[in-house]
Amino acid sequence: ALVSHLISLAVLFMLLRAQFVAAAQVVVYAGAVMVLYTFVVSYVGGADAGPRNGDPLGRPPGAAMTLAAWGCGGALVVELLIAVLGSGLKGISGHGAPFSPTFGSPASIGDLLLTRFLAPFEIASYLLLVAAVGAVVLARRRGGVDDGTGVPVITAMDIFRPRPPGTGTMAEGVGGRVHPIVGETDA
Amino acid sequence: MSIAWYLAVSAVIFAIGAGGVLIRRNPLVILLCLELMLNAANLALIGFSRMWGNGDGQVFALIVMVVAACEVTVGLGLIVAMHRLKLPMNVDEIRDLRG
Amino acid sequence: MLSVLIWLPLATALAGALAGSLTGARGRTGLAVLVGALGSLGLAVALIVGYDGHTGQLQHVTDIVWIASLGIHYKLGVDGLNLFLVGLATLLFAVALVAANLREWEKPHLFYFHLGLAESAVLGALLAQDLALFVAFFDLMLIPFYFLTGIWGGEDRVRATTKLVIYTLVGSLLMLAAAIATAVLTAHDSGNALSFVFSDLRAAPLPVGSQDWIFLCFAAAFLVKMPAFPLHGWMPDGYRAMPIEVLMVFSGVLSKVGAYGFLRIVLPLFPGASAHFQTVMLVFGLASILYGSAMAFTQTNVRLIAGYSSVAQLGFITMGIFSLTPQGAQGALLQMINHGLVVAPLFFIILLLSARAGGSEDIREMGGIAMRAPILATLFLVVALATLAIPGSGNFAGEFLILLGVFSTKLVFAVVAFAGVVMAAVYSLRMYIRSMHNRTGPDVESRELRLIDGLVLAPFIAVILLFALYPQLELHRAEKSVTATVAGARAIAEPGTPQVAGGPLTALAAFQRSGVSIRRSNGGWTVSAPAAAGGVAPGGLATTANEVTVTVK
Amino acid sequence: MPLAGSLVIGVLFRRLPDRSAGYLATGAVGLSFVFAVITLVSLQGHGVGDRELPSTLWNYAVTSGVDARLTVLVDPLSVLMICVVAGVSTLIHLYSIAYMWSDRGYVRFFAYLNFFVFSMLLLVLAGNFVLLIVGWAFVGAASYFLISFWYRRTTATRAGLKAFVINVLGDVGLVLGTYFIFKHTHTLDFLSSFRDVHTAFGGHSGDLTAGCILLLVGAFAKSAQLPLHTWLPDAMEGPTPVSALIHAATMVTAGVYLIARMHPLFEAAPAAADVGEVVGAATLLVAGTIGLVQTDLKRVIAYSTMSQIGYMIMGVSAGAYAAGLFHLMTHAFFKALLFMAAGSVIGAMAGNQSLDRMSGFRKAMPFTFGCFVIGGLALSGIPPFSGFFSKDDILLQVGTAGGWHWALYVAGYVGAFLTAIYTFRMIFRAFLGEPCPEALELEQGHLHHADVHTNPATGEIEDTDIGFPGPEHHIAEQRPLMRVAMGTLAVLSVIGGIVEIPKTTNWLDNFLAPTFADSTIVRNPSNGLLAFGLVLGAAVGLLGIGIAYYVWVLKPGTAARLQARLRPIHTLFLNKWYFDELIDFAVVRPAAWFGRFGQQTFERLVVNGTLVGGTTGLVKAGSAAVRGAQTGFLRYYAGLLIAGLTALGLYFLLQST
Amino acid sequence: MNYAAAVRQAAANGPPLKGPHVDFAALGPIEALLAGSLIVLMLGLLSSRKIRHQAVPAVTLLTLTVTIGLTIWQWHDDKSVVAGAMTIDGLSLVLTLVIAVAGVAATLLSWRALAPREAAHGEYYALLLGSMAGMLVLICSSNLVTLFVGLELLSIPLYVLCATELHRASSLEAGLKYLIVGSVGSATLLYGLALIYGATGATSFSGIAASLARGGASDPLLLTGIALGVTGLCFKASVAPFHQWTPDVYEGAPTPITAFMAVATKAAAFGVLLRLFDVGLIGDHANWGPALATLAAVTIVVGNVGALGQSSLKRMLAYSSVAQAGYIMAGVVVATQLGVRATVLYLVTYLMMNLAAFAVIVARERETSLGDDIDSLAGLGADRPVLAWSMTIAMLSLAGIPATAGFIGKVYLIQAAVDGGYAWLAVVIVLGSAVSLGYYLRVLAAIWMRSAPAVGTLGRPAIAGASPEAPVVPAPARGRHPEVALVAVLCAAGSLFFGIIPQPLFDLVHGAGSALTGLL
């Protein structure tokens, strides 16, 4: 369902003359992110919520919470719609401003990315690196705390080492997968 | 089809995402709902970009995608770590910290 | 000189405590601080002796910019308002330190450090001539008492000290906001650069609307500190828990700083609001008197008797200040000093009593202590009589002036307040009789006070007697400053009434100094004052001024 | 006026070792007396119009329009007072040396006594209101010290407290009265304010009347007039010399002095003067009736004191200044004498004061008996004793005033009648009849000693250490010093009237004339009234004595029959008209209730409950709410975030037009 | 692929792409951090334990020192760099200092901590530096995109760092909560930014301001965008009612990270709040001013009230930081240069006092087995006077007692509030401070007025049954962690020093106010 949602969203993007973004949407989301999800779901065991243990200290949010959530969500929709529809901006009810033929093309986007949005772009690339490192830190299987006894622990470097059979887990997958993206955006 | 329709769709998606975060208990699903919210924002950005006729929104949307990917990565990493500690996959049962 | 006066105790305390903890001779800290306190006392006495009472101006002014960006100055100075309060504070601290040195304390270096810090902060608050500086010292002085009570206090000390600090700091913090508002709004209105210095703030009074809420904030701070009914909730617990030596200075000095704040800050800076809230404040004062007195004569804990009597006494002081007359304010100032002089030895005597009554502080378990301790009894008697303001004591002079001031503005209040005078006689003597007289209590062991105890009490008795014989010592030096302080508020409270009792020349001088006469639009005030001055021969009766004014109007 | 200062200071030395203190103190007071006499003489040296001499020692509190200086005013009035005070004091000091000889608090006693004399002199010499109030309060304090002299006696301390508090009430009246006067005259100085009294109070005579009535409150409290008299009988807890000095001769008459001193004010406020007269008359009647039935020797004398002061107050309020002061002086003599004699009797009874226990001391103590009789006759106004002239002088003046004052005139004679009865009831019961065991013992030459010392009022057992009466306290007329003092006073009581015999000597009148020169009250009593008064006075006095003799000597059972027949009245008198109970009910209990209410209820509920507790409760409730909201449920957090967002969005949407 | 390289590449490619001028000098601090994080990451891969345990933090410190040096080097700079995406000015420089100092402190506190050992040193410190880089980007940002990226760069490493004590469930819980609620916040912010963009057509702050100046300041689209933006940023600044993550995350996260978050995140969040609202949205001040003031008041109440009765020190400080956020908000609300200065000054003082407090907590966590419970401080005054005094000063300063920096900061904030016409907010601030005494004094009472568990050090017999289950306290390991004590002492001394001689602080923040020229 999510994949179809993402793809239809991409179609909307196309309609809005954002070809590159639409493509990226399909590749990144429908491709990479969903694959990642699938892996993790299969690793963790699906949407199984696990057994509930009776917590004496407080009841988990139940129907009231659901109701409140719908209430809030509904109110939010209404507010946003009022904002959108009540806006005095002319452009909003039109079909958009006139645009150059290259609007939304990869070239124009790339141009923007390397000129006006150079800084966010570069920082985003660094962000990916950091996220990768973070994911590795979190998901890595470790031998234990590095307690100073000299017992070797597994570090991020292990990814690049020949690993013993049977240790291939999602952790490496998570860490390893990101690098191609960095390369991709860099190229 | 006027821009307003796109924005309306975006608003609905955003609200669905927000509601989903509130209602679902599985962190994985919550992460997906978060993606939904970001996507809604993306749609709005693209829409506005189209409206104003400048590419700022599109670039913004691209970068949001990166960010979304990063969040998902870290989120999934965290879920894996939780799984390792045999923590329940239910946010309602993770409440040692309170008060 | 004033800086030395302020910081000497803290410096010696710091040095003593550091040296003490480094060398292990922590017990010596007390002596070091005592030396510092005595030094300050000496300086204060020098100040009093050297003070020129013929001008109401600040003397020995130190003025350094402290925080330029905020217009906060490190400005100190003495005038008639704080001169004797400084003397009182230094005396009380010095004596309290002597008293404290008679005992062994846990962690003495810390104890004396806090006492030294307390003295410095109190003196700073008294000498500050900058609103922000005052507020800073005012808040700061509470902190050492938090520790002094919390660490070395009696039963239930932590709860009591927490209550005390929070209760009093609520007011103080409100005052902080109000103080800043005062300076900021004044700067806004006058277009001058931001300044917290009193003289700058006085030069441009605020509009009445802002004065009112600012006044209330200040009043909250000071009334809590005094404490006034019904804001005295912290007092019983705090007094019960505090070590007596600390309580001596706390009750003797800190409560006075609150009353002093009214005189120093509230009346001159917010004359309109002071006049506006005059009745309210008088009601506070009156309620304090009646309630404090009534409580004092039903309590059985000697500390609380003294505590509630302080509530009543400070009620008198409040009333004196808010009579908005020079007499009332003079009396209030004198009474602050007297009350400090009385309540501190009273607490020390309580210490001695409790030592003789098997550690109990309940008058029901005392009795007959005078039997083998005639000197103690005599000293206690002097203190008790001074407490009830027997005519002839300095306290009486204060009360007389206070009530005279109140009488001349709000007659009914004065009449009712006299009930407090009668009740004071009841509770003071009740405490004296139940402890010293009557049949000997079961655990009472009557013995005379030691020489060293006598040394603690002697300075107080000496000064009490001095003020009993010659209150003019204080009144003369304070007159000019006090008159100037109340002039503004008085002119607003009773437009058209000249300073009857002050005599035309005093009144005129005060008005000219405060610049109020120009602002009063009450039909020819500015005309009337010079007329009065011109029309009356030197030493002429004030009635003449009255007539002159009336005719001009 | 160099002497005035030394007078005040001269009596200040205190605290001397051993028994020498008594002599020293007496010497000091004696010296004061000498100075007083010298002052008197030197005053005579001044011209008649020049006999008001203020002198200022130093500025006490001169500030902001208040001009309180330490000013001493020497004029005939004050000189008369210092002579009386210092003179009587000297004698009583002498008496005390003997009386207090064995008491453990001997030195303290004389210190207090000296302090009292100092205060009294300060009071009468004061040249302005402040100093007057100071002296006023000091004598009150000294009185308290001395009443509570045996401080381990709970009854004594209670009586002392009562006396002091009522005195403070008087002080308050005095201060308030001063305020009223100061409000218009703007001076605290006597002479200046008297000078201005007519001009300053232009349209505010109400203030003047209020001020004077408040001054009267002060006078009533000090002089034990209704309704502030209840302390005086209780004050008899003090040693007998104290009763003689303070509660008979000097301090209690300060009210009379005050009114005389303030006469320009009272004359300007006739309503206040009327109040004084009426209260004086009421007091003399009420006190007389109470005195009839009391059984405590000293209390009977105390009520008689009240009654006599009632005369004086009535007199001076009516403008009979010289007469009032004359009575003041003679009263000082004979009442001090009576107290000393009573002390002597009580000594013989080893501290017991009950008339029921005494009888037949005539033989055992003839000297005392003689003194007592002289005093009694003077008190009853029997010619030619001093009391006769002074009392009649007052009544004559009152009678001359005419109008409703006639009622007071009659009351005065009724009072005189009562006086004679209760005085001689006392004498007859104590001295005549069968000698009681103590009297018999004394006749055999040795003094009765109590085996176990008790508090005569409550019967509590006491030791003889400090704070209780000494072991062999009372030396019944055996010491020469006592006899000297009593003898001198007896002589004075007899001949005291000489200074002012109608139509013969007007020494006192003339002497005081400069002080009262500004008085507007001029009365020329008719000779007829004078003669009538003298005769009537003597007659009622003798009649009273006769009745007393009949009731208590001739037909000893009569008293009991009368008691039975007039039960309600007797009960009323015995319970002192229920004044104590009234005050207790109207003042003490409400105050105590208020205090208890404050302590037990208000403090807990409002101060701690509502103010502190309410605030902390609110904060704590808030804390609980905040922490309760912190459920730990992640979805709540997100939910609140979204909810907050929604609310914020709503706010901003409302902001938009 | 590191940032610098990319930049250089972009610069080299110059003409055909018409790349913008990049002022590398001005970006020095950020570059230093990025480079440092890479070096640290690489160093961490080495197998030598010594290098990993000692060199990595050392290099981190070196990096931070360089950052601070570069910051100071550029002092008084005021320029817009990288095509207007970032602004280097007085505000950003001061906050850079704050963040860098917080980083130094966090590094020192982490030196021997458990978290970096679990997470591997290289990664841990790299993430720390990365997060700081994000903060720097955030406070320098001058367009919406940079803002968002900076925010994410700040957040994502922190999500991870919170969870670095991987064997402790509460650490993971903290991470998860922070991640999810934070992502909701980010998404909200993003949507808000999208709406703002939509309403104004510009992503740069100056463009937005210009658009507002042309009109449309009360367009619902814009206002809704602002509402969403406020929500997102207030979430980061832990302003109520968006504060709820704060106590849980602070408590669950490793203490050094908590310290870092408390100080640095707050600085960054307020930096960007100042930028966005006082620069970009200044034209709409009339609309958002009262709203933010209300939020500030609510925050003060909620924070102070919530902190009462907490037994976990970290949790207490978390609530306290919520309350402090409310105070600081007053400086943003008034939208004056004075307000900016007051905000920044308070952040500086907040840095000192909070770090001192957290340093003491770290020390006690290692010395006792009581963790961050308030009992761990009992008897500290007798056992460890240095730590005790540091904590005392920190608490007094947080409470705003005179002679401490906190007092000065509060005075300045109140002044700004009154000056800006928000006198009532000033009153709320002081009332909040009064309530705050309730919990700060409790700490002081524990330090000075209670005896250490099982050891009667006050001379009074320990009350029997006071702490029945008090564990045996390990012998105080004095000198085992001098760096922690150093942080505590330095920060406390700073609090005291600047409380008495505050003028240097005012000079420091002067430029921050002047930088925002659009304000009064």
Side-chain angles (χ1 to χ4, degrees), chain D residues 127-433:
Chain D
N128 62 32
F129 284 98
V130 172
L131 211 52
L132 175 81
I133 294 166
V134 170
W136 198 260
F138 275 8
V139 291
S143 141
Y144 156 71
F145 299 157
L146 288 163
I147 293 170
S148 304
F149 180 74
W150 290 314
Y151 56 71
R152 285 195 289 148
R153 268 189 180 164
T154 324
T155 47
T157 54
R158 202 174 296 142
L161 184 60
K162 189 173 176 184
F164 191 82
V165 171
I166 293 180
N167 268 310
V168 167
L169 200 64
D171 297 349
V172 166
L174 204 53
V175 173
L176 261 177
T178 307
Y179 283 174
F180 271 107
I181 292 156
F182 179 83
K183 186 177 170 191
H184 295 282
T185 61
H186 306 300
T187 176
L188 291 168
D189 190 67
F190 284 153
L191 298 179
S192 325
S193 53
F194 297 159
R195 199 172 55 231
D196 295 341
V197 66
H198 294 290
T199 52
F201 280 91
H204 301 91
S205 59
D207 279 1
L208 180 63
T209 308
C212 286
I213 289 179
L214 286 163
L215 291 182
L216 278 180
V217 170
F220 292 166
K222 188 114 304 184
S223 297
Q225 299 297 292
L226 295 180
L228 302 174
H229 65 284
T230 54
W231 64 272
L232 184 63
D234 289 355
M236 296 301 129
E237 284 285 343
T240 306
V242 173
S243 311
L245 177 62
I246 300 181
H247 306 122
T250 53
M251 183 187 91
V252 286
T253 58
V256 181
Y257 166 78
L258 178 75
I259 298 173
R261 172 58 78 202
M262 303 295 165
H263 68 272
L265 304 177
F266 281 94
E267 286 178 14
D274 292 345
V275 171
E277 283 178 72
V278 173
V279 172
T283 307
L284 74 90
L285 281 177
V286 169
T289 55
I290 299 173
L292 279 179
V293 298
Q294 293 297 313
T295 55
D296 184 308
L297 180 61
K298 281 174 75 178
R299 283 183 185 234
V300 175
I301 309 181
Y303 279 107
S304 117
T305 307
M306 266 174 66
S307 163
Q308 296 303 309
I309 295 167
Y311 282 106
M312 299 179 216
I313 296 273
M314 185 171 79
V316 290
S317 300
Y321 307 114
L325 291 165
F326 179 36
H327 194 57
L328 187 157
M329 186 179 83
T330 56
H331 176 256
F333 297 148
F334 62 68
K335 194 50 67 65
L337 177 64
L338 277 178
F339 266 115
M340 286 185 184
S344 193
V345 176
I346 293 164
M349 297 289 295
N352 199 309
Q353 303 179 359
S354 172
L355 277 174
D356 291 340
R357 294 269 317 272
M358 302 174 187
S359 62
F361 270 109
R362 184 166 58 88
K363 283 220 186 75
M365 296 192 289
F367 184 78
T368 305
F369 176 60
C371 290
F372 218 113
V373 169
I374 292 172
L377 289 172
L379 176 61
S380 309
I382 304 298
F385 295 92
S386 55
F388 170 70
F389 298 107
S390 52
K391 189 195 300 177
D392 280 319
D393 200 7
I394 294 176
L395 292 175
L396 175 67
Q397 301 271 357
V398 172
T400 314
W404 58 273
H405 295 274
W406 278 104
L408 307 181
Y409 185 72
V410 173
Y413 281 106
V414 174
F417 175 62
L418 294 174
T419 308
I421 297 180
Y422 65 69
T423 309
F424 279 87
R425 163 179 177 259
M426 192 163 62
I427 293 174
F428 295 148
R429 289 186 70 172
F431 290 95
L432 300 184

Side-chain angles (χ1 to χ4, degrees), chain E residues 164-235:
Chain E
T164 40
E165 286 186 10
L166 290 153
H167 286 91
R168 194 158 53 83
S170 65
S171 180
L172 287 184
E173 181 184 343
L176 182 71
K177 281 179 174 172
Y178 195 22
L179 174 78
I180 290 179
V181 187
S183 299
V184 174
S186 299
T188 312
L189 172 68
L190 177 64
Y191 207 87
L193 298 183
L195 291 184
I196 292 173
Y197 164 63
T200 60
T203 51
S204 71
F205 292 166
S206 53
I208 293 170
S211 164
L212 287 183
R214 285 195 300 273
S218 60
D219 190 85
L221 196 60
L222 175 71
L223 288 175
T224 310
I226 292 177
L228 293 165
V230 165
T231 308
L233 289 178
C234 285
F235 167 83

Side-chain angles (χ1 to χ4, degrees), chain C residues 321-502:
Chain C
I321 294 169
F322 280 91
S323 72
L324 303 181
T325 58
Q327 299 100 320
Q330 275 276 50
L333 191 55
L334 181 61
Q335 190 68 351
M336 285 182 216
I337 295 154
N338 287 324
H339 181 245
L341 285 172
V342 166
V343 82
L346 195 56
F347 279 117
F348 188 71
I349 287 169
I350 287 171
L351 182 69
L352 299 178
L353 290 184
S354 127
R356 281 156 182 73
S360 166
E361 288 176 350
D362 193 316
I363 51 171
R364 285 173 301 192
E365 292 168 20
M366 297 181 179
I369 293 178
M371 204 172 150
R372 297 277 175 269
I375 299 177
L376 176 60
T378 311
L379 297 181
F380 188 8
L381 187 60
V382 172
V383 173
L385 289 178
T387 305
L388 61 85
I390 188 170
S393 62
N395 301 52
F396 167 71
E399 241 169 47
F400 185 86
L401 288 169
I402 287 173
L403 291 172
L404 181 59
V406 179
F407 185 88
S408 60
T409 47
K410 306 268 172 183
L411 190 146
V412 180
F413 282 99
V415 174
V416 181
F418 271 107
V421 178
V422 179
M423 290 201 266
V426 180
Y427 64 71
S428 300
L429 279 187
R430 171 173 171 267
M431 175 164 69
Y432 177 73
I433 290 172
R434 300 273 308 248
S435 57
M436 303 304 281
H437 288 174
N438 284 1
R439 297 214 156 218
T440 314
D443 294 326
V444 169
E445 183 202 352
S446 173
R447 68 190 125 83
E448 190 55 285
L449 75 179
R450 292 173 296 164
L451 182 64
I452 187 82
D453 298 332
L455 278 181
V456 173
L457 287 175
F460 289 121
I461 304 294
V463 183
I464 288 174
L465 291 179
L466 174 69
F467 275 111
L469 289 176
Y470 194 53
Q472 184 68 5
L473 179 72
E474 190 272 343
L475 294 173
H476 167 64
R477 286 171 168 76
E479 180 171 1
K480 292 286 190 304
S481 312
V482 171
T483 313
T485 292
V486 295
R490 178 169 170 69
I492 294 171
E494 292 171 58
T497 311
Q499 306 239 315
V500 171

Side-chain angles (χ1 to χ4, degrees), chain D residues 58-104:
Chain D
W58 68 76
N59 289 348
Y60 181 73
V62 182
T63 177
S64 309
V66 179
D67 57 345
R69 298 181 167 83
L70 277 190
T71 306
V72 169
L73 175 66
V74 173
D75 66 353
L77 176 59
S78 58
V79 169
L80 173 75
M81 287 302 290
I82 58 173
C83 286
V84 172
V85 169
V88 176
S89 300
T90 313
L91 294 173
I92 291 174
H93 272 73
L94 273 179
Y95 177 85
S96 307
I97 293 176
Y99 192 86
M100 300 300 288
W101 191 263
S102 69
D103 199 281
R104 295 288 304 273

Side-chain angles (χ1 to χ4, degrees), chain C residues 92-425:
Chain C
L92 255 59
F93 270 101
V95 176
L97 279 164
V98 173
N101 271 300
L102 301 181
R103 262 216 269 174
E104 290 287 324
W105 299 93
E106 304 281 347
K107 291 183 273 186
H109 58 303
L110 271 181
F111 179 82
Y112 290 110
F113 168 75
H114 284 302
L115 261 184
L117 176 61
E119 175 164 10
S120 290
V122 169
L123 290 174
L126 287 175
L127 286 169
Q129 298 297 334
D130 179 288
L131 190 53
L133 192 63
F134 174 84
V135 173
F137 278 124
F138 191 85
D139 290 359
L140 182 62
M141 70 187 180
L142 204 56
I143 297 309
F145 286 97
Y146 171 73
F147 290 106
L148 287 169
T149 308
I151 302 181
W152 294 277
E155 208 173 313
D156 208 9
R157 57 193 198 282
V158 176
R159 205 181 59 79
T161 192
T162 308
K163 188 173 172 187
L164 181 154
V165 170
I166 293 182
Y167 211 124
T168 45
L169 267 186
V170 170
S172 305
L173 288 167
L174 280 176
M175 178 173 75
L176 173 65
I180 296 167
T182 310
V184 171
L185 297 179
T186 306
H188 263 292
D189 289 351
S190 66
N192 296 333
L194 184 67
S195 167
F196 281 87
V197 176
F198 286 142
S199 48
D200 296 348
L201 294 177
R202 266 178 97 158
L206 287 170
V208 175
S210 0
Q211 271 190 27
D212 280 358
W213 74 266
I214 291 176
F215 174 90
L216 289 178
C217 289
F218 273 100
F222 296 145
L223 287 178
V224 168
K225 186 71 113 195
M226 287 168 72
F229 171 85
L231 304 174
H232 64 278
W234 57 269
M235 191 274 295
D237 297 343
Y239 275 32
R240 259 196 295 255
M242 227 178 257
I244 288 269
E245 290 82 351
V246 178
L247 190 49
M248 282 167 75
V249 285
F250 189 88
S251 180
V253 185
L254 262 73
S255 57
K256 308 303 168 301
V257 182
Y260 166 76
F262 276 122
L263 277 179
R264 169 66 73 197
I265 297 170
V266 174
L267 292 195
L269 296 190
F270 320 115
S274 301
H276 185 189
F277 289 107
Q278 182 187 19
T279 312
V280 177
M281 298 303 291
L282 286 176
V283 168
F284 265 112
L286 195 60
S288 299
I289 293 173
L290 296 181
Y291 188 80
S293 306
M295 292 296 285
F297 74 65
T298 43
Q299 291 292 335
T300 55
N301 182 312
V302 269
R303 288 186 187 218
L304 291 193
I305 297 176
Y308 280 108
S309 86
S310 299
V311 172
Q313 293 298 314
L314 284 149
F316 275 111
I317 292 171
T318 314
M319 288 189 80
I321 294 169
F322 280 91
S323 72
L324 303 181
T325 58
Q327 299 100 320
Q330 275 276 50
L333 191 55
L334 181 61
Q335 190 68 351
M336 285 182 216
I337 295 154
N338 287 324
H339 181 245
L341 285 172
V342 166
V343 82
L346 195 56
F347 279 117
F348 188 71
I349 287 169
I350 287 171
L351 182 69
L352 299 178
L353 290 184
S354 127
R356 281 156 182 73
S360 166
E361 288 176 350
D362 193 316
I363 51 171
R364 285 173 301 192
E365 292 168 20
M366 297 181 179
I369 293 178
M371 204 172 150
R372 297 277 175 269
I375 299 177
L376 176 60
T378 311
L379 297 181
F380 188 8
L381 187 60
V382 172
V383 173
L385 289 178
T387 305
L388 61 85
I390 188 170
S393 62
N395 301 52
F396 167 71
E399 241 169 47
F400 185 86
L401 288 169
I402 287 173
L403 291 172
L404 181 59
V406 179
F407 185 88
S408 60
T409 47
K410 306 268 172 183
L411 190 146
V412 180
F413 282 99
V415 174
V416 181
F418 271 107
V421 178
V422 179
M423 290 201 266

Side-chain angles (χ1 to χ4, degrees), chain A residues 59-73, chain B residues 19 22-23 25 92, chain D residues 633 635-636 639-640 643:
Chain A
R59 281 185 313 114
M65 184 68 197
T66 314
L67 202 66
W70 283 116
C72 280
Chain B
L22 302 190
I23 293 168
R25 296 196 183 83
D92 285 354
Chain D
F633 291 118
R635 297 193 292 137
Y636 268 150
L640 194 65

